[in-house]
Amino acid sequence: MACTGCVEELDHCHGALIEHHDGDVECTEPGCTALDPARHDISQRCDDVISCECVADRHLVVAA
């Protein structure tokens, strides 16, 4: 089965976009440099998929 984005020659990426709590964004696809969320079908927060150092720096506030 062919990728629809490839068949239609759309600008897209096959990797997953990882959004960090410190504001950084990276892609799981080696060589991906266009980190626009519109190019990625999958986008996840880093603490949902990996154990990330930026999560340790995040300060949680407890609701009263």
Side-chain angles (χ1 to χ4, degrees), residues 2-3 7-11 13 15 21-23 25-26 42 51 54-55 58-59 61-64:
C3 167
V7 171
E8 296 181 10
E9 298 181 5
L10 299 175
D11 181 23
C13 179
H21 292 278
D22 64 3
V25 180
E26 65 182 314
I42 301 169
S51 185
C54 81
V55 175
R58 188 175 66 171
H59 299 284
V61 177
V62 178

Side-chain angles (χ1 to χ4, degrees), residues 13-48:
C13 179
H14 295 138
L17 200 63
I18 307 298
E19 301 172 27
H20 295 279
H21 292 278
D22 64 3
D24 288 341
V25 180
E26 65 182 314
C27 180
T28 59
E29 185 72 17
C32 178
T33 57
L35 301 175
D36 183 348
R39 296 185 69 247
H40 296 82
D41 288 336
I42 301 169
S43 180
Q44 292 283 311
R45 297 292 289 196
C46 63
D47 58 342
D48 290 338

